[in-house]
Structures are given as C-alpha cells and as structure tokens.
C-alpha cells in the first residue's frame, strides 16, 4: 500500500521511513492545534514522569558516553583513521573548527549566552548559596559551561564518530541505521533499520522545530525592542512562516553560492558581535572571570556529571539539565552526520580531541564575554537584568545589549544573526531528513526537501501555540528518550567494530559470517553525501 502511494505521489523515498515519520508528525500537529491545552498537559505529565523516573538515566548515559570517548582517545583504537589507513583530513584544522562551531552551537549560544548565567545567578540551584552573591556568580558560570561544554559535544561526537567510521572504513550508507550493522547484520537495511531511522528523523524534526521555536521567541523580543512589534502568538506564527519560507527557498535551490556566502557572513557577524561586547564591556573582568570559570568548571565537572538532585524535591534539573540533554540528543543525528562528513581522514584520537575540546573552548569564550558581562552589570546595579530574564528569557540578549553603547545597532545585528542561524539550520536539517528517508540510489527531489522544511515550521508553530517555552521543553524532554537508548547502542556497535578492526577481522566475520553487503557503490556514496557537502560548503 505504501509503495502504491509512493508511486502515485511520484516520490523517491523509503516508504516505511518517510510515511511513518510524516504520519507521526502530522498526527502531532493535528492534535496539538485544536487540543493545545490537552496536548500541553499530556506532555507535561509525561515529562514529569520521565524526569522523576528516568532523569538519572539521562545524566548517567551522557556522562558514561563522555568517559567512553575519552577512553577511546587514549586507547590503541585512537590511531585508527576514519578512512583508508593512508588517508589524510579533507579540511585544515582551522576550517574544521569553524565548521564545528557552525554545525552545533551557533544557534543555541545566541539564546542562552546571557539568559543561562543570569538565571542561575538569580536562582542558585545549590543549597546555602545566596542569590546574587559571588558564589552564585561562580556557580552560574560553572553550570552554563557544564550544559554547553564537554557533555553537549559528547552527544554530538558519538553518532558523528560512529557514522564516519562505518561510512569511510566500511562503505556503509551515511545513515543512522548503518551504525547498527554490527548488531543487526543485514536487518539494518530492513524494517529494523527503518525503525531506527524513523526515530532519528523524528528526533531531528522535533529538535530543529524546538530550536526554531526558541529562535522565534527571541526574534519576537528583538523586534519588540527595536520596532515595538507586539509579542503575541500571531506574530510568532508569522515569523515562523517567514523563516520557513526562506529555508524552503534555500533548500529548493540546493548548492547555492549565495546561501553559502550568507552562512559564512553570519559567522563573521557573530564574531563581530563577540568582539564588540568584549571591547566595550568590562574587558579585564571578562578575562579574569573566564580563566577562573575554566578552573571552577574542571573542578566541579566530576560532581556535576553525576548530580541528580537526589536529596532535593525541586523541578530545577527537569527544566535545565534534562531539557538540554534531550534537546541535544534530538539534534544528534543531524549534527552527527554533518561532523562525520567533514572529518574524513582524521584519526579517532584527533576526532575526539577536536570535537570535544575546540567547541568547548569557544563556548568558554562566548559565556565569558556575554555571561560574565551580564553578571557584572547585575552585580554593579547597572541594570536589573535578572528580573527581566526571569520574566522572559528570550529578551535576555536585547536587555543586555541595551546597557551597552550603540545598543540599537548591536540589537539589529543580533536579529540578523538569529534569522540566518535558524534559517540555515532548518535548511540543512531538511537535507539531512530527506537523506534519511530515501534510498541510496534515489535522487533527492525538491518537493521532498521542501516538505520537511515546512514540517519543521508547522511543528514549531504548533508547539508555541500549545504552550510556548514550557511546551518546547516538555515535548523535547519526552521525545529525546528513545534516541538516548540509540546513542548507547551506537557506542556498543562502534566498540565491537573497533575490536574486530584492531584484531584484523572483517565486518562479515563480526556479524557471524554473513557477507558484507555491497549495497553502496562509490558513486552512490558520493550521491548520498552531496546534500551534506552542500551544508559543509556553506561554512
């Protein structure tokens, strides 16, 4: 039946993956729009159950995966190359680091760079810490770095490393289901593998929709500050429609030099904003605080990595850590594929060191400049930033910039950066989702890519109408759980394959004598990776 529907619609897809993913997404929107309160309350209850019963599982899983990656880097497996033994990296270190930044953290640092530290500064999660105190300021920076540092990039690195290894050393399709070949064997290319890809598609779809929703809230706050545009649900839906239209146009054009240059320009604009705040802000305080924050983060990391609020009956960890881990996990298929595409030729040790350390270092600088500047403003009484952030975290960056010189110009620049970041994220994610829902030999049709771009916008609008920020947090915390299990299985599959590789066994021997499937010819592998090349070429 699904095959007949595919032929009737003229689609180039894997019917089971495409229609199942699209059907679940459509069902969610169909229920969320007319029954917004019921849907919001249902996901609130589900998230409450997940946080209460399985919050420890999120915390333990991500920390265990970080330990797994560090162990791999220092083991003999670290010398294995992601490709032929004589291959070398496709990109220079500087270009690689720049693309890592563009892939995973540009979109979220704009929203949380000020809001996160100020929130914890005003409401410390630890007992005995006075709000607004020096200890609260130190803890706020430590928690922000914990949420956006090594643990976040662990979640991206695991699928990225596994994808690069199986794709470049064993010629498997660059698809999430391929990572389970050492466990599932040829079943990875049938219904079992399709089920894995459906989870990956939905995770990417809702993860990007959540980012789009947060970006819309922040964009609406910026337009309200600059032009007095009201902050209403209608305005936010219109903004989502505009961003989705731009993304759909871009994804329809494919490899477009204008879009690539626009993405490169956006990174330059973000760096210019960073340099501006560093120059006009408390530069010495920022430098001193950044160095100190690095030390306190490294010192507190072992404790935070396994902290589960066991002896406190609060909702803090659900609203912050669990939401971040689930949100990042939902992005993992998309960012993992992107990182894999740009990492061919590197050793496993180089990959892990680069993916974990380079973005974490940039995160330290970003929070050092924006977070410490905001805390200094609050402590000096220059502006009541904490009160505004507690009422609406999406206004944080604009309320912060208002206290600096040339606030109108810097706020306008922030709006531009936000629009481009979220547009290119939607564009790239649409290409990724399209790849995961079609076979290797099938061409990527424009209407399929546009469909996924529109789907992200519609889901984001439904989430905002169903409860705004709370709905975004609740949905993603619940839906991130299945992919958390997949991450663990990815690590197991990767380790089994590495052991076989190190001992000289072939992949077919690893899967109990089954022949390694020659399902991907070199030309097909290139075709399947073209869409990621488009994304990589932009940065």
């Amino acid at each position: 039946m699904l095959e007949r529907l595919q032929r009737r619609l003229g689609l180039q897809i894997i019917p089971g993956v495409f229609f199942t993913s699209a059907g679940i997404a459509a069902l969610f929107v169909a229920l969320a729009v007319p029954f917004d309160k019921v849907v919001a309350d249902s996901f609130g209850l589900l998230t409450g159950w997940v946080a209460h019963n399985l919050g420890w599982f999120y915390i333990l899983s991500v920390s265990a995966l970080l330990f797994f990656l560090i162990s791999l880097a220092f083991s003999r497996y670290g010398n294995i190359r992601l490709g032929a033994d004589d291959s070398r990296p496709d990109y220079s270190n500087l270009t690689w680091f720049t693309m890592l930044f563009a892939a995973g953290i540009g979109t979220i640092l704009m929203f949380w760079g000020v809001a996160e530290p100020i929130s914890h500064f005003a409401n410390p999660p630890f007992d005995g810490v006075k709000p607004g105190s020096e200890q609260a300021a130190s803890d706020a920076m430590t928690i922000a770095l914990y949420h956006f540092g090594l643990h976040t990039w662990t979640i991206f690195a695991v699928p990225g490393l596994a994808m690069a290894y199986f794709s470049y050393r064993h010629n498997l399709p660059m698809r999430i289901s391929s990572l389970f070949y050492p466990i599932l064997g040829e079943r990875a290319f049938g219904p079992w593998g399709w089920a894995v890809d459906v989870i990956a598609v939905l995770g990417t779809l809702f993860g990007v929709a959540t980012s789009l929703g947060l970006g819309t809230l922040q964009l609406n706050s910026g337009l309200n500050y600059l032009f007095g545009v009201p902050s209403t649900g209608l305005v936010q839906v219109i903004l989502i429609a505009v961003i989705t239209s731009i993304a759909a146009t871009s994804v329809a054009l494919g490899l477009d030099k204008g879009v690539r240059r626009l993405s490169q320009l956006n990174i330059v604009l973000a760096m210019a904003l960073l340099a501006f705040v560093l120059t006009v802000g408390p530069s010495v305080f920022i430098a001193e605080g950044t160095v100190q924050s690095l030390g306190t983060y490294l010192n507190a990391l072992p404790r935070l990595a396994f902290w589960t609020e066991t002896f406190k009956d609060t909702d803090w960890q659900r609203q912050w850590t669990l939401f971040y881990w689930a949100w990042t996990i939902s992005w993992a298929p998309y960012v993992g594929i992107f990182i894999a595409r740009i990492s061919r030729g590197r050793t496993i040790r180089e990959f892990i060191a680069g993916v974990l350390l380079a973005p974490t270092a940039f995160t330290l600088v970003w929070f050092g400049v924006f977070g410490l500047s905001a805390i200094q403003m609050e402590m000096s009484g220059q502006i009541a930033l904490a009160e505004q952030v507690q009422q609406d975290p999406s206004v944080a960056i604009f309320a912060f910039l208002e206290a600096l010189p040339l606030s109108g110009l810097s706020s306008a620049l922030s709006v531009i950066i936000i629009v481009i970041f979220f547009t290119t994220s939607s564009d790239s994610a649409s290409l990724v989702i399209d790849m995961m829902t079609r076979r290797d030999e099938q061409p990527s049709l424009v209407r399929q890519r546009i469909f996924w771009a529109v789907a992200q916008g519609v889901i984001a609008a439904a989430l905002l109408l169903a409860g705004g920020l709370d709905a975004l947090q609740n949905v993603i915390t619940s839906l991130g759980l299945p992919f958390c299990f997949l991450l663990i299985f990815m690590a197991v599959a990767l380790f089994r394959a590495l052991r076989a590789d190190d001992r000289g066994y072939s992949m077919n021997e690893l899967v109990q004598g089954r022949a390694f499937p020659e399902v991907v010819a070199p030309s097909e592998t290139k075709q399947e990776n073209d869409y990621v090349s488009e994304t990589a070429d932009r940065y």
Side-chain angles (χ1 to χ4, degrees):
M1 183 178 69
L2 294 180
E3 286 79 5
R4 290 198 300 271
L5 181 59
Q6 172 196 359
R7 290 192 294 270
R8 178 173 297 181
L9 296 176
L11 301 177
Q12 298 290 336
I13 57 172
I14 301 173
V17 178
F18 182 94
F19 289 120
T20 301
S21 303
I24 293 174
L27 178 62
F28 172 83
V29 173
L31 294 175
V33 174
F35 306 108
D36 53 345
K37 189 176 186 309
V38 175
V39 171
D41 291 344
S42 299
F43 273 100
L45 292 173
L46 179 58
T47 300
W49 184 89
V50 170
H52 179 74
N53 294 282
L54 294 173
W56 62 269
F57 177 74
Y58 270 120
I59 302 298
L60 179 61
S61 297
V62 179
S63 295
L65 290 173
L66 173 58
F67 179 78
F68 168 73
L69 290 176
I70 294 175
S71 299
L72 277 186
F74 284 99
S75 72
R76 63 182 182 275
Y77 304 127
N79 296 320
I80 296 177
R81 288 200 174 270
L82 302 175
D85 291 335
D86 59 349
S87 61
R88 290 299 179 266
D90 292 343
Y91 301 97
S92 67
N93 287 337
L94 180 60
T95 302
W96 188 51
F97 293 155
T98 301
M99 290 191 288
L100 287 176
F101 159 73
I105 59 178
T107 53
I108 56 180
L109 292 186
M110 283 298 295
F111 191 96
W112 296 111
V114 173
E116 168 101 357
I118 284 295
S119 296
H120 304 321
F121 176 64
N123 295 292
F126 303 130
D127 292 331
V129 179
K130 182 181 178 181
S133 64
E134 293 182 10
Q135 186 61 48
S138 178
D139 289 344
M141 290 297 298
T142 299
I143 294 170
L145 293 175
Y146 167 55
H147 284 157
F148 293 100
L150 293 174
H151 279 70
T152 284
W153 283 92
T154 291
I155 297 171
F156 292 151
V158 169
L161 177 59
M163 192 84 63
Y165 174 81
F166 287 111
S167 178
Y168 298 137
R169 286 192 72 87
H170 297 291
N171 204 34
L172 285 170
M174 196 169 280
R175 209 160 38 227
I176 298 298
S177 55
S178 297
L179 309 186
F180 295 85
Y181 186 80
I183 297 175
L184 297 177
E186 294 181 9
R187 289 175 296 175
F189 304 102
W192 282 98
W194 298 343
V196 171
D197 287 329
V198 166
I199 295 174
V201 168
L202 292 174
T204 302
L205 195 59
F206 280 86
V208 175
T210 298
S211 298
L212 182 57
L214 289 173
T216 300
L217 291 174
Q218 190 177 36
L219 183 58
N220 196 178
S221 297
L223 294 176
N224 178 265
Y225 167 74
L226 290 172
F227 308 111
V229 176
S231 296
T232 64
L234 177 60
V235 172
Q236 291 161 11
V237 170
I238 293 174
L239 290 174
I240 288 177
V242 172
I243 294 175
T244 301
S245 298
I246 298 173
T249 302
S250 173
V251 81
L253 294 175
L255 181 57
D256 182 84
K257 293 182 179 180
V259 175
R260 182 185 63 210
R261 291 170 181 167
L262 192 62
S263 300
Q264 294 170 339
L265 172 63
N266 206 37
I267 295 176
V268 173
L269 293 178
M271 296 302 294
L273 183 63
L274 182 74
F276 168 76
V277 175
L278 177 61
T279 302
V280 303
S283 303
V284 175
F285 179 83
I286 291 172
E288 293 177 343
T290 300
V291 173
Q292 180 172 307
S293 297
L294 175 60
T296 56
Y297 166 60
L298 295 176
N299 181 63
L301 187 58
R303 174 174 61 90
L304 288 175
F306 299 98
W307 179 54
T308 59
E309 279 195 310
T310 303
F311 304 107
K312 294 186 65 176
D313 186 19
T314 69
D315 203 34
W316 185 90
Q317 202 160 58
R318 166 186 169 179
Q319 295 178 344
W320 291 99
T321 307
L322 298 186
F323 165 62
Y324 282 143
W325 286 181
W327 185 17
T328 308
I329 286 169
S330 69
W331 272 69
Y334 157 48
V335 180
I337 288 174
F338 181 88
I339 294 175
R341 173 60 183 84
I342 64 176
S343 300
R344 179 167 47 191
R346 297 190 178 274
T347 65
I348 289 178
R349 183 173 295 113
E350 290 172 341
F351 178 96
I352 294 173
V355 174
L356 291 185
L357 298 181
T360 298
F362 184 86
T363 300
L364 172 67
V365 173
W366 188 276
F367 276 108
V369 172
F370 285 88
L372 286 171
S373 297
I375 288 174
Q376 195 272 343
M377 288 181 182
E378 183 70 25
M379 295 181 72
S380 64
Q382 184 178 351
I383 182 175
L385 191 57
E387 181 179 348
Q388 298 182 60
V389 171
Q390 290 179 47
Q391 293 177 356
D392 182 7
S394 64
V395 79
I397 184 70
F398 303 105
F400 164 73
L401 293 174
E402 188 177 10
L404 298 176
L406 303 175
S407 60
L409 179 61
S410 59
S411 294
L413 179 61
S414 297
V415 169
I416 295 172
I417 293 172
I418 293 167
V419 170
I420 300 176
F421 265 140
F422 285 98
T423 298
T424 53
S425 294
S426 176
D427 175 2
S428 303
S430 300
L431 293 166
V432 170
I433 294 173
D434 177 58
M435 179 277 298
M436 289 191 289
T437 58
R438 61 181 173 85
R439 292 187 176 89
D440 312 326
E441 73 278 3
Q442 294 174 319
S444 177
L445 300 182
V446 171
R447 59 179 176 273
Q448 292 172 191
R449 302 197 301 268
I450 291 178
F451 171 80
W452 293 118
V454 172
Q456 294 163 35
V458 173
I459 291 174
L463 289 172
L464 287 178
L465 293 176
L469 182 58
D470 288 340
L472 294 171
Q473 291 180 322
N474 289 336
V475 170
I476 209 62
T477 302
S478 303
L479 297 183
L481 185 62
F483 202 79
C484 188
F485 286 100
L486 292 186
L487 283 180
I488 296 173
F489 281 107
M490 285 180 198
V492 172
L494 176 61
F495 184 68
R496 289 189 65 195
L498 288 173
R499 288 185 63 189
D501 195 342
D502 181 63
R503 297 178 180 182
Y505 291 104
S506 63
M507 184 65 73
N508 60 320
E509 292 174 308
L510 178 62
V511 290
Q512 301 176 349
R514 296 181 181 181
F516 187 80
E518 298 294 339
V519 294
V520 186
S523 61
E524 294 170 353
T525 302
K526 179 180 183 303
Q527 178 187 37
E528 180 161 274
N529 291 340
D530 281 345
Y531 78 96
V532 187
S533 298
E534 297 176 10
T535 305
D537 289 340
R538 295 177 186 173
Y539 301 106

